[in-house]
Amino acid sequence: MLLRGGAFSACNAAIAEGNGNCRFSGVIRPPGVVAALCGRPRRARLLRVAAVATGEPKSKPQEASSQPSLADRLRLGSLTDDGLSYKEKFIVRCYEVGINKTATVETIANLLQEVGCNHAQYVGFSTDGFATTLTMRKLHLIWVTARMHIEIYKYPAWSDVVEIETWCQSEGRIGTRRDWILKDYSTGEVIGRATSKWVMMNQDTRRLQKVTDEVRDEYLVFCPKTLRLAFPEENNASLKKIAKLDDPAHHSKVGLVPRRADLDMNQHVNNVTYIGWVLESMPQEIIDSHELQTITLDYRRECQHDDVVDSLTSPESAVNSAVSGLQGTNGSPTAAKDENDYLQFLHLLRISTDGSEINRGRTEWRKKTAKR
């Protein structure tokens, strides 16, 4: 679904580079923040450096301004030293935590969307909600998300500071990908990872299209030159196919209707709403005893404001789970080892009237530990 228009904000499909001056006055100043914020090279200068480094002409069409906006100056975000990824720090607010006094998965998804959009703006791509390049706008092309995969090893609590790094890369001839790594800023511990896959669609015909060389050249200058994956492990959970859920499902919540607040700037249901709908059909006893560790969503069609949605959920065998493979890599050793402490579910969101699939999903849950 459309990033920001049916799924994970199309802003996230854009790629990154650009920097702003830094005059941040007071929200948080953990060790190193002042140094990180101040002395950032101007965005236009970075764009020129990137163009020279890759052999691109200096007149490469980008829309970055030499003067950063007020929002750019106040954000706790900047490009990394090589200019090929973007990092931003966020304070977890009181309204972003749930009953466990930790950030909800919806909060995490919103932060991923935000840092992806901010990364795209630093590059100078459009801010119309689709994060498109100049060629894409000329041809009426937009990014749509095909898959989103999030793993959370430790949920941050109210007032914790989370640092998120994000970057984009080409994904074959048909699309692109955006990855994220989440860290506890106070300790440097990796507390989560995420990845997403995108394809290109004609905004007028709603048909998918191959990524042209012109478009690829416009954004690859801002991508890592060698393959970099948030999930480098072989056969990791982000690669697993999601089987269609058998009907009737064990659990269901029918008649879900998008609220006005669920629509994004492109008049489509926002991706975070899909996550909430998936969780609506989870049995309450699982919500009480376990916490969500992994969620994967495959997007199959857009959801409009007047659609009525059914959410279906059934248990899935935990055999051959990839969770154990996370230990000792970018992940966390907190994943449950006992089969009774670890549960998997399959999910389906569909249109109530005709049964059309909106998306398929898989969630993995670990038994809750003692409260913080």
Side-chain angles (χ1 to χ4, degrees):
M1 282 357 331
L2 297 181
L3 224 80
R4 267 223 165 303
F8 223 75
S9 177
C11 299
N12 296 344
I15 339 296
E17 167 86 273
N19 234 338
N21 283 343
C22 156
R23 294 227 287 267
F24 186 77
S25 74
V27 173
I28 52 175
R29 292 182 181 270
V33 168
V34 175
L37 288 173
C38 299
R40 290 196 239 157
R42 287 179 183 268
R43 182 184 310 172
R45 183 175 142 243
L46 276 171
L47 290 172
R48 289 196 297 273
V49 170
V52 171
T54 57
E56 296 290 342
K58 292 183 180 180
S59 59
K60 184 77 178 174
Q62 294 293 341
E63 298 176 355
S65 166
S66 61
Q67 294 300 322
S69 67
L70 176 62
D72 285 339
R73 297 199 302 270
L74 294 180
R75 284 191 188 107
L76 286 173
S78 64
L79 292 173
T80 53
D81 290 342
D82 62 9
L84 302 179
S85 67
Y86 174 88
K87 290 183 178 180
E88 188 166 350
K89 302 164 194 69
F90 300 92
I91 305 171
V92 178
R93 313 293 183 180
C94 65
Y95 54 82
E96 295 174 322
V97 302
I99 59 176
N100 297 321
K101 299 181 181 178
T102 56
T104 64
V105 65
E106 289 93 340
T107 293
I108 300 297
N110 275 321
L111 293 180
L112 298 180
Q113 180 170 278
E114 176 70 9
V115 74
C117 289
N118 293 344
H119 185 197
Q121 289 191 39
Y122 263 85
V123 182
F125 290 160
S126 73
T127 58
D128 60 1
F130 295 115
T132 50
T133 68
L134 182 62
T135 300
M136 290 176 67
R137 290 193 294 283
K138 287 180 178 177
L139 300 177
H140 295 187
L141 299 175
I142 57 177
W143 296 109
V144 299
T145 183
R147 167 170 279 218
M148 186 70 202
H149 178 85
I150 304 172
E151 296 187 6
I152 306 169
Y153 313 125
K154 177 184 176 183
Y155 282 88
W158 177 22
S159 295
D160 282 355
V161 180
V162 179
E163 180 180 69
I164 304 178
E165 181 182 9
T166 186
W167 65 95
C168 286
Q169 290 182 300
S170 179
E171 181 74 10
R173 297 295 301 174
I174 62 171
T176 187
R177 64 182 295 144
R178 176 174 286 279
D179 286 23
W180 297 263
I181 292 179
L182 299 84
K183 292 183 178 181
D184 181 328
Y185 185 61
S186 66
T187 65
E189 176 189 3
V190 173
I191 60 173
R193 297 182 287 171
T195 187
S196 57
K197 295 184 179 181
W198 308 81
V199 292
M200 188 170 285
M201 175 187 284
N202 184 290
Q203 191 172 4
D204 301 324
T205 65
R206 317 309 286 180
R207 293 178 180 272
L208 299 183
Q209 284 193 211
K210 287 185 178 180
V211 180
T212 65
D213 289 338
E214 264 191 301
V215 171
R216 197 179 304 277
D217 289 344
E218 284 178 318
Y219 74 76
L220 282 183
V221 66
F222 304 117
C223 299
K225 307 312 174 190
T226 57
L227 186 63
R228 182 189 178 195
L229 303 174
F231 298 93
E233 305 87 0
E234 188 176 356
N235 299 321
N236 65 79
S238 73
L239 303 175
K240 291 175 63 177
K241 291 185 178 180
I242 302 176
K244 185 175 181 179
L245 183 63
D246 292 331
D247 198 8
H250 286 65
H251 312 279
S252 63
K253 184 78 170 182
V254 300
L256 298 169
V257 179
R259 304 170 304 161
R260 291 188 180 93
D262 294 327
L263 303 181
D264 59 25
M265 67 181 76
N266 301 311
Q267 299 299 309
H268 295 91
V269 174
N270 186 271
N271 66 285
V272 179
T273 299
Y274 292 94
I275 294 175
W277 283 345
V278 163
L279 300 181
E280 277 298 306
S281 57
M282 280 295 298
Q284 186 61 45
E285 59 269 23
I286 302 301
I287 300 293
D288 292 340
S289 60
H290 290 67
E291 64 181 2
L292 181 65
Q293 175 171 287
T294 303
I295 183 166
T296 310
L297 294 178
D298 284 342
Y299 295 94
R300 296 176 175 268
R301 60 155 290 172
E302 300 171 274
C303 185
Q304 309 293 337
H305 68 91
D306 55 353
D307 286 331
V308 180
V309 177
D310 293 341
S311 174
L312 309 179
T313 291
S314 287
E316 182 185 38
S317 170
V319 176
N320 298 324
S321 166
V323 171
S324 59
L326 299 176
Q327 299 185 32
T329 59
N330 287 333
S332 162
T334 58
K337 297 178 182 179
D338 191 302
E339 186 174 319
N340 295 323
D341 293 341
Y342 176 77
L343 301 171
Q344 290 185 172
F345 292 86
L346 289 176
H347 306 273
L348 175 66
L349 295 181
R350 68 184 183 189
I351 302 297
S352 294
T353 53
D354 60 11
S356 299
E357 286 188 69
I358 300 172
N359 63 34
R360 297 181 186 183
R362 174 186 287 111
T363 56
E364 302 173 354
W365 302 73
R366 59 173 174 260
K367 197 162 187 178
K368 289 180 180 178
T369 56
K371 292 185 178 180
R372 297 176 63 172

